[in-house]
């Protein structure tokens, strides 16, 4: 029997928990483990299920591009292509103090942003973790909690000096609310549907800006809600503030989505508003909804179908469910559960811990893929520590290969979305920068490289002209810049129309 080896390390899960792991390899002979050959056979099967050929990707891009056009032409489409009333790019000279509130999929963040002009800014912030109950209980209560956090932030950040609010100072606030909302103006937004597992009652179909203002009134805060924005729109504007080559922004995090700048003349569904046809307006695509309900274009496996059927919103967010951080761990877990049921994995071991839905964090896929040891000590750690399961090297190699298949598919599908916007806007020849943010993009090893590789598979060599980069903080800085741009427009008497 080979000598066992030890390893240790620590990492942080998306739940915020930091875990220290101390492991040693175990090549014990006493449990009936799957052989190397069995694992290799299974892997081949999953390879064919999760691999996207360049040809298939090009077909997806074609359908995606048509869907984007449809959303611009007609109201209430599945991919709603939401006009944001954010007109044009920032000048880079926006200045002043702004509050930003960011209700994301996992946290609530309050920021004080000081824009200094010339693309520079300072930011101070506080984060609050949202509980599962808060995501599901009454919507007004959720907004009350937002206002309460703002209140605490304002109280603790009022004083003298840089990064401080002056006593009595009244501030404009940009509220980043990253769920699909149809907007009639920039400080309005009717929630179309919750995504990312949220389900707070009495909120869908209502104007969340109004609901939030009601909560602000309770605390009598010296704050004016200036703009309601999506995280992608914020990312688009913040990224352009520091890198004017940016034309598209994408978020690959708990959810996934994109925004870009569109010519008003090409948004047929708002023609009746009489906005200057020469103007430009940011569009929040809400592309996570691509292929929802009909499931005609995306390569769904049976694991994806289970994820969808057992979600709180079956049929919806079909694209997002194949890509975003909320679901990748669950897809891998479902494959493992199938192999347990087939009697391939963990024979003679108690697998109950792995049978709990959503117990396999997407961070585990990142960790497995980045494990630098030959014995895959990190993988041992994950399975023993969290699931009390012993594994052999052949099994661990299989788990890692599976993570790679699922992570790679997500990145290649993401490339399809980006390619659809690039094709629609004709950006391929001149090239463009794509500001990208979110836990998957920032933390998943090789995600960006795989997106770039996907773009080249779709467009050939010219795909190199499209480059993603780690974006500026859209929900904080972007929201502040948009609040500044909006204030400027209002002061100039240009509220809605250019
Ligand atoms: C939401 C989008 C958001 C994205 C990224 C999706 O679930 O519908 O509004 O931009 O997640 O946070």
């Amino acid at each position: 029997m080979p000598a066992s080896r030890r390893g240790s390390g620590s990492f942080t899960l998306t739940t915020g928990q930091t875990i220290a792991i101390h492991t040693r390899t175990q090549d014990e002979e006493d449990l009936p483990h799957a052989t190397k050959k069995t694992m290799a056979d299974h892997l081949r099967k999953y390879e064919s299920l999760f691999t996207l050929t360049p040809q298939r990707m090009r077909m997806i891009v074609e359908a995606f591009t048509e869907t984007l056009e449809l959303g611009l032409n007609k109201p209430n489409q599945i991919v709603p292509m939401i006009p944001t009333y954010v007109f044009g790019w920032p000048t880079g000279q926006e200045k002043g103090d702004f509050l930003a509130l960011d209700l994301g999929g996992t946290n609530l963040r309050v920021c004080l942003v000081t824009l200094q002009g010339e693309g520079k800014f300072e930011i101070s912030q506080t984060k609050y973790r949202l509980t599962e109950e808060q995501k599901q209980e009454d919507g007004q209560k959720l907004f009350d909690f937002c206002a309460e956090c703002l209140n605490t932030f304002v109280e603790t950040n009022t004083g003298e000096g840089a990064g401080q609010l002056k006593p009595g100072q009244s501030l404009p606030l940009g509220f980043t609310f990253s769920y699909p909302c149809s907007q009639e103006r920039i400080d309005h937004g009717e929630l179309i549907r919750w995504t990312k597992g949220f389900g707070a009652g009495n909120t869908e179909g209502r104007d969340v800006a109004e609901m939030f203002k009601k909560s602000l009134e309770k605390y009598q805060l010296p704050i004016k809600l200036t703009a309601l924005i999506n995280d992608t729109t914020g990312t688009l504007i913040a990224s352009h503030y520091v890198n004017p080559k940016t034309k598209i922004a994408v978020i690959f995090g708990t959810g996934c989505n994109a925004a870009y700048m569109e010519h008003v003349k090409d948004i047929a569904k708002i023609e009746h508003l009489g906005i200057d046809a020469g103007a430009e307006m940011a569009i929040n695509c809400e592309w996570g909804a691509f292929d929802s309900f009909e499931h005609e274009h995306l390569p769904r496996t049976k694991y994806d179908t289970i994820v969808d059927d057992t979600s709180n919103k079956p049929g919806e967010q079909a694209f997002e469910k194949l890509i975003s951080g909320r679901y990748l761990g669950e897809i891998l877990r479902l494959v493992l559960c199938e192999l347990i049921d087939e009697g391939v994995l963990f024979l003679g071991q108690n697998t109950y811990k792995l049978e709990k839905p959503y117990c396999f964090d997407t961070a585990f896929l990142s960790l497995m893929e980045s494990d630098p040891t030959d014995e895959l000590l990190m993988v041992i750690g994950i399975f023993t520590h969290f699931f009390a399961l012993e594994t052999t090297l052949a099994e661990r190699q299989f788990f890692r290969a599976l993570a790679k298949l699922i992570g790679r598919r997500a990145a290649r599908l993401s490339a399809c979305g980006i390619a659809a916007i690039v094709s629609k806007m004709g950006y391929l020849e001149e090239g463009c920068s794509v500001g990208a943010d979110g836990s998957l993009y920032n933390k998943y090893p090789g995600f960006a490289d795989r997106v770039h590789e996907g773009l080249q598979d779709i467009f050939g060599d010219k795909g190199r002209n499209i480059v993603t980069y780690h974006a500026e903080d859209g929900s904080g800085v972007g929201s502040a810049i948009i609040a500044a741009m909006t204030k400027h427009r209002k002061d100039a008497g240009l509220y809605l129309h250019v």
Side-chain angles (χ1 to χ4, degrees):
M1 196 173 166
S4 70
R5 291 213 13 206
R6 289 169 196 283
S8 58
S10 73
F11 57 88
T12 307
L13 294 178
T14 48
T15 53
Q17 208 185 351
T18 300
I19 304 294
I21 278 183
H22 304 279
T23 58
R24 62 183 187 80
T25 57
Q26 306 201 349
D27 274 336
E28 67 298 314
E29 310 291 332
D30 47 343
L31 289 168
H33 282 281
T35 64
K36 225 174 176 166
K37 163 136 189 0
T38 328
M39 289 332 306
D41 288 347
H42 282 286
L43 188 59
R44 260 195 301 281
K45 180 176 82 196
Y46 295 114
E47 258 163 14
S48 70
L49 283 177
F50 286 102
T51 301
L52 272 177
T53 63
Q55 193 195 6
R56 184 75 200 264
M57 291 171 82
R58 281 183 220 115
M59 283 163 65
I60 295 172
V61 175
E62 209 181 305
F64 215 129
T65 313
E66 282 169 19
T67 307
L68 300 182
E69 299 276 5
L70 192 68
L72 289 175
N73 291 337
K74 294 191 183 157
N76 310 321
Q77 296 304 295
I78 287 184
V79 173
M81 302 297 278
I82 300 169
T84 61
Y85 301 92
V86 172
F87 290 103
W89 299 110
T91 60
Q93 293 315 314
E94 288 76 9
K95 285 185 184 155
D97 291 334
F98 298 88
L99 280 170
L101 183 73
D102 173 19
L103 184 68
T106 318
N107 297 307
L108 175 73
R109 202 161 56 109
V110 190
C111 319
L112 173 63
V113 186
T114 306
L115 300 177
Q116 298 159 325
E118 292 167 21
K120 295 195 190 113
F121 57 84
E122 264 178 15
I123 183 164
S124 51
Q125 58 178 323
T126 309
K127 246 186 197 178
Y128 304 84
R129 180 157 287 275
L130 293 164
T131 64
E132 268 317 302
E133 294 76 58
Q134 282 171 324
K135 296 180 188 173
Q136 308 304 336
E137 65 193 5
D138 186 75
Q140 194 65 56
K141 266 179 121 176
L142 181 63
F143 293 120
D144 283 354
F145 175 69
C146 295
E148 190 188 318
C149 294
L150 252 176
N151 191 28
T152 314
F153 182 84
V154 169
E155 273 174 5
T156 47
N157 288 278
T158 304
E160 294 304 325
Q164 292 280 297
L165 291 162
K166 315 284 169 290
Q169 184 183 10
S170 160
L171 282 183
L173 168 80
F175 182 16
T176 307
F177 182 78
S178 301
Y179 304 88
C181 286
S182 59
Q183 296 190 273
E184 282 169 11
R185 17 169 239 285
I186 195 157
D187 57 354
H188 162 266
E190 200 176 295
L191 179 62
I192 301 174
R193 55 180 168 262
W194 283 116
T195 58
K196 298 182 275 205
F198 270 65
N202 300 319
T203 322
E204 287 182 338
R206 292 181 62 190
D207 178 2
V208 291
E210 258 328 297
M211 290 177 77
F212 178 58
K213 278 187 207 161
K214 214 165 135 192
S215 298
L216 280 181
E217 278 162 20
K218 285 192 192 159
Y219 288 90
Q220 299 187 323
L221 288 167
I223 288 170
K224 172 128 184 59
L225 175 65
T226 315
L228 183 82
I229 67 164
N230 186 263
D231 51 0
T232 51
T233 317
T235 302
L236 182 70
I237 297 300
S239 300
H240 193 278
Y241 187 71
V242 293
N243 173 4
K245 275 196 178 154
T246 309
K247 295 235 171 29
I248 300 171
V250 285
I251 303 279
F252 301 118
T254 310
C256 83
N257 191 14
Y260 71 102
M261 197 59 78
E262 184 57 275
H263 311 291
V264 166
K265 68 174 173 42
D266 292 332
I267 318 174
K269 68 181 173 186
I270 58 164
E271 208 182 317
H272 62 282
L273 295 181
I275 300 173
D276 176 3
E280 290 188 307
M281 196 199 286
I283 294 288
N284 162 21
C285 303
E286 287 298 337
W287 76 12
F290 173 61
D291 208 29
S292 290
F293 308 108
E294 296 183 342
H295 307 302
E296 277 177 326
H297 305 293
L298 295 172
R300 293 205 316 161
T301 64
K302 66 173 153 179
Y303 319 102
D304 301 307
T305 313
I306 300 173
V307 164
D308 185 28
D309 289 347
T310 55
S311 72
N312 69 335
K313 301 275 182 174
E316 295 184 12
Q317 298 297 96
F319 188 56
E320 178 161 288
K321 282 175 180 156
L322 305 186
I323 293 180
S324 82
R326 179 169 169 80
Y327 305 101
L328 299 190
E330 179 63 2
I331 297 171
L332 187 135
R333 189 192 73 84
L334 287 167
V335 174
L336 297 189
C337 285
E338 177 179 75
L339 291 173
I340 294 170
D341 289 348
E342 287 176 3
V344 178
L345 286 176
F346 309 128
L347 282 177
Q349 300 191 61
N350 191 338
T351 53
Y352 76 102
K353 286 196 174 179
L354 196 57
E355 276 153 30
K356 188 168 161 246
Y358 289 90
C359 66
F360 207 90
D361 201 302
T362 297
F364 292 154
L365 276 70
S366 301
L367 288 164
M368 292 202 289
E369 281 216 50
S370 51
D371 189 335
T373 63
D374 290 342
E375 296 92 342
L376 300 180
L377 296 176
M378 183 56 90
V379 185
I380 296 182
I382 292 169
F383 279 85
T384 51
H385 186 92
F386 291 95
F387 305 108
L389 290 168
E390 301 297 341
T391 53
T392 61
L393 183 58
E395 287 164 345
R396 294 194 292 278
Q397 283 165 339
F398 168 80
F399 302 149
R400 175 158 60 183
L402 192 59
K404 191 169 168 188
L405 288 176
I406 294 169
R408 190 155 180 263
R409 183 185 69 160
R412 289 169 77 75
L413 285 170
S414 306
C416 293
I418 295 172
I421 298 182
V422 167
S423 303
K424 197 219 149 283
M425 297 305 288
Y427 290 151
L428 187 59
E429 296 297 327
E430 59 174 304
C432 74
S433 297
V434 180
D437 207 352
S439 47
L440 216 52
Y441 185 84
N442 298 333
K443 295 194 188 143
Y444 201 107
F447 191 85
D449 291 343
R450 289 170 181 169
V451 170
H452 292 147
E453 190 187 274
L455 285 165
Q456 284 165 44
D457 279 352
I458 297 165
F459 291 129
D461 265 358
K462 283 191 183 150
R464 289 179 204 275
N465 295 350
I466 314 300
V467 181
T468 70
Y469 71 97
H470 176 39
E472 282 308 320
D473 165 17
S475 316
V477 180
S479 143
I481 301 168
I482 292 173
M485 289 165 74
T486 309
K487 188 168 174 293
H488 181 256
R489 289 177 59 77
K490 269 191 188 165
D491 292 348
L494 301 165
Y495 186 33
L496 168 63
H497 297 219
V498 172

